[in-house]
């Protein structure tokens, strides 16, 4: 039996929830039926809040976690009363491989000079070569240079600066430096600080996505496998993994780019060739976390980030300090190709990768964590990665690819998600894209009577 709706929304992440919420709010006086299909057993998608500590009172976002540009972020309307922790990237303690702390201001100045030099390249600014790789513009960040090249032969400060800058770029883009386009050098060169103001939420982003989901018809554990535009007037039929059928006038697809790339969802007829090419060319990064809760705080408390400048990118060497909001918790990060390889490891092995670095920084007698949470977004079939990244893939890149991916198919199938937004990789980018898609649906018109008698 086929269940009918006016609008189907595929995915209950931030984009899907904002789209469904907007449609429902705008049509309170009608019988508009909006159904959200979500493959997971929870809402939120790649935004997920873990409950740690006694009674689960300590909330930590183990997916998307940053409220960027907090004073004007549209998601803030759902966060009234939520305590926020400002986390400027300048609040950092830097340690070398032997555990010695270095002057962060001195390292930052060297990094700024490296960025300025790279961003001055005409090739980068003009994007005349879409296949240009970042390492062609900033060779000092390459593994060979850091381990045995010119950078390694210079003084320790320059080597540390190269390792730290590489780590920041890789962390922000959820990528390995080898994957990134040369255009990134121009991007990170704007103002010298490429990471915007960003806050962490003490109660987690679950406050926002639970508020958005309230009252919506979210069907959990409904894994969509087929989206078919029917011949009879453009209605759309959606099939789930367990054979359930849904039909609607319009469908908003908010699947992660990694899922679109995998081909696990069949589109009938196939997506237009230019949209398929955009899916292929847009990069998708991977950022994983190793969250460690300790019995007590042994680390430096007056900074937000703790970094060990190690050339081994398989190590968990960058940590966010949550002690300021009362949690004895460090959030460790690993990203890119090394993070994907690390997903093969057990939680105990990942914990040890983080602990090896922390012992290097704070000594061999630090306590063991009493609780550990590890993520594996790269092999999670509902995400297959973390967020959009400026990779150089086959055929180079095209800055219009996101616009092409966002284009609706006729007046039947619409697309939303951080990958099609004007703020790729950001939670509020996904939110805004859902609002935009809902507006497009309303602009193109709905026949509310079509759902009568459901």
């Amino acid at each position: 039996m086929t269940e009918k709706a006016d609008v189907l929304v595929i995915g209950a992440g931030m984009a899907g929830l904002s789209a469904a919420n907007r449609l429902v709010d705008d049509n309170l006086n009608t019988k508009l039926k909006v159904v959200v299909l979500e493959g997971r057993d929870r809402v939120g998608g790649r935004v997920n809040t873990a409950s740690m500590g006694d009674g689960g009172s300590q909330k930590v976002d183990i997916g998307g976690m940053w409220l960027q540009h907090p004073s004007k972020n549209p998601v803030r309307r759902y966060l009234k009363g939520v305590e926020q922790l400002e986390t400027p990237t300048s609040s950092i303690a830097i340690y070398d491989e032997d555990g010695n702390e270095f002057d962060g201001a001195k390292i930052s100045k060297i990094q700024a000079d490296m960025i300025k030099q790279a961003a001055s390249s005409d090739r980068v600014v003009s994007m005349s070569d879409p296949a240009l790789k970042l390492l062609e513009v900033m060779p000092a960040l390459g593994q060979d240079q850091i381990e045995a090249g010119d950078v390694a032969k210079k003084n320790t400060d320059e080597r540390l600066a190269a390792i730290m800058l590489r780590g920041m770029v890789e962390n922000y883009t959820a990528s390995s430096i080898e994957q990134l386009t040369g255009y990134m050098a121009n991007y990170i060169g704007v103002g010298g600080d490429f990471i915007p103001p960003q806050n962490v939420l003490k109660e987690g982003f679950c406050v926002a996505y639970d508020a958005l989901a309230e009252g919506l018809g979210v069907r959990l554990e409904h894994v969509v496998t087929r989206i078919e535009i029917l011949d009879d007037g453009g209605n759309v039929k959606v099939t789930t993994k367990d054979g359930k059928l849904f039909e609607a006038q319009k469908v908003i697809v908010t699947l992660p780019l990694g899922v679109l790339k995998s081909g696990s969802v069949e589109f009938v007829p196939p997506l237009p060739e230019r949209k398929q090419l955009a899916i292929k060319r847009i990069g998708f990064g991977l950022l994983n976390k190793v969250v460690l809760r300790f019995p007590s705080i042994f680390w430096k408390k007056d900074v937000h980030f703790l970094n060990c400048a190690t050339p081994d990118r398989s190590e968990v060497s960058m940590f966010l300090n949550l002690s300021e909001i009362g949690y004895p918790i460090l959030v460790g990060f690993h990203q890119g190709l090394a993070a994907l390889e690390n997903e093969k490891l057990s939680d105990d092995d990942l914990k040890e990768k983080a602990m090896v670095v922390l012992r290097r920084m704070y000594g061999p007698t630090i306590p063991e964590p009493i609780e550990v949470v590890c993520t594996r977004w790269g092999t999670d079939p509902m995400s297959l990665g973390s967020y959009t990244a400026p990779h150089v893939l086959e055929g180079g890149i095209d800055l219009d690819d996101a616009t092409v991916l966002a284009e609706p198919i006729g007046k039947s199938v619409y697309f939303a998600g951080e990958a099609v937004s004007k703020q790729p990789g950001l939670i509020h980018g996904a939110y805004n894209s859902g609002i935009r898609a809902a507006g497009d649906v309303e602009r193109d018109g709905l026949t509310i009577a079509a759902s009568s008698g459901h």
Side-chain angles (χ1 to χ4, degrees), residues 284-346:
F284 202 53
L286 175 61
L287 177 68
N288 277 324
K289 298 177 183 178
V290 179
V291 185
L292 307 167
R293 185 172 72 91
F294 291 92
S296 59
I297 298 170
F298 56 82
W299 54 88
K300 194 169 185 176
K301 300 177 185 178
D302 59 349
V303 294
H304 294 110
F305 294 95
L306 310 167
N307 284 27
C308 182
T310 170
D312 183 356
R313 287 177 284 175
S314 73
E315 292 186 331
V316 180
S317 57
M318 174 181 175
F319 299 88
L320 171 66
N321 168 23
L322 295 184
S323 65
E324 192 172 317
I325 55 176
Y327 297 169
I329 289 175
L330 293 175
V331 181
F333 301 90
H334 54 128
Q335 58 276 327
L337 299 173
L340 185 60
E341 188 66 22
N342 280 348
E343 291 199 5
K344 301 174 184 176
L345 302 177
S346 67

Side-chain angles (χ1 to χ4, degrees), residues 4-331:
K4 293 191 175 183
D6 295 302
V7 182
L8 288 171
V9 178
I10 312 301
M14 195 59 74
L17 293 176
S18 68
N21 194 278
R22 162 75 181 270
L23 287 168
V24 171
D25 282 354
D26 286 354
N27 296 276
L28 291 175
N29 296 323
T30 72
K31 295 181 180 180
L32 183 73
K33 181 176 180 180
V34 179
V35 174
V36 183
L37 303 180
E38 168 56 50
R40 300 180 186 276
D41 60 0
R42 59 171 180 81
V43 299
R46 286 167 283 163
V47 180
N48 185 21
T49 304
S51 298
M52 303 182 73
D54 296 336
S57 60
Q58 297 172 359
K59 307 295 184 182
V60 182
D61 284 312
I62 58 175
M65 74 183 309
W66 306 109
L67 184 73
Q68 296 190 315
H69 302 291
S71 64
K72 55 185 178 182
N73 192 302
V75 181
R76 73 186 187 281
R77 63 183 293 191
Y78 301 100
L79 300 171
K80 293 177 181 178
V82 175
E83 183 179 340
Q84 299 182 24
L85 171 66
E86 295 182 6
T87 57
T89 54
S90 58
S91 176
I92 186 172
I94 302 172
Y95 301 82
D96 67 11
E97 296 169 81
D98 297 320
N100 302 306
E101 187 173 355
F102 271 68
D103 182 352
K106 186 176 182 181
I107 297 299
S108 295
K109 184 179 185 306
I110 298 172
Q111 291 173 341
D113 290 341
M114 296 171 69
I115 293 171
K116 184 177 179 180
Q117 181 179 1
S120 65
S121 169
D122 291 339
R123 294 177 68 197
V124 178
V125 173
S126 66
M127 273 293 291
S128 58
D129 182 359
L132 180 69
K133 293 185 176 182
L134 183 57
L135 281 182
E136 295 177 59
V137 184
M138 304 182 76
L141 304 186
Q143 189 70 11
D144 57 340
Q145 291 293 309
I146 286 173
E147 289 191 337
D150 292 339
V151 174
K153 295 175 184 176
K154 293 180 181 179
N155 61 56
T156 305
D157 287 348
E158 292 202 15
R159 183 170 183 267
L160 276 177
I163 293 173
M164 293 302 301
L165 179 57
R166 180 179 70 180
M168 285 191 293
V169 172
E170 290 188 333
N171 180 269
Y172 189 67
T173 61
S175 306
S176 295
I177 205 80
E178 294 84 359
Q179 298 174 290
L180 295 173
T181 169
Y183 185 70
M184 270 300 297
N186 183 49
Y187 176 63
I188 66 178
V190 177
D193 185 2
F194 58 96
I195 301 177
Q198 53 188 21
N199 292 357
V200 171
L201 309 178
K202 183 173 182 178
E203 289 86 356
F205 263 102
C206 61
V207 175
Y209 59 71
D210 284 347
L212 279 163
E214 187 176 358
L216 296 180
V218 180
R219 312 293 174 82
L220 300 177
E221 298 181 285
H222 279 59
V223 180
V224 170
T225 57
R226 180 183 171 97
I227 300 171
E228 179 183 2
I229 300 177
L230 302 175
D231 294 331
D232 56 345
N235 275 15
V236 184
K237 180 184 287 187
V238 171
T239 307
T240 65
K241 187 176 182 180
D242 59 2
K244 291 182 180 177
L245 299 176
F246 296 83
E247 186 176 326
Q249 297 174 58
K250 301 181 187 299
V251 170
I252 299 176
V253 178
T254 72
L255 296 169
L257 180 61
V259 175
L260 292 175
K261 283 179 175 288
S262 74
S264 61
V265 178
E266 179 187 11
F267 287 85
V268 181
L271 293 174
E273 186 174 343
R274 65 197 303 262
K275 195 178 287 285
Q276 292 186 46
L277 182 59
I279 291 171
K280 185 176 182 180
R281 287 197 301 208
I282 300 173
F284 202 53
L286 175 61
L287 177 68
N288 277 324
K289 298 177 183 178
V290 179
V291 185
L292 307 167
R293 185 172 72 91
F294 291 92
S296 59
I297 298 170
F298 56 82
W299 54 88
K300 194 169 185 176
K301 300 177 185 178
D302 59 349
V303 294
H304 294 110
F305 294 95
L306 310 167
N307 284 27
C308 182
T310 170
D312 183 356
R313 287 177 284 175
S314 73
E315 292 186 331
V316 180
S317 57
M318 174 181 175
F319 299 88
L320 171 66
N321 168 23
L322 295 184
S323 65
E324 192 172 317
I325 55 176
Y327 297 169
I329 289 175
L330 293 175
V331 181

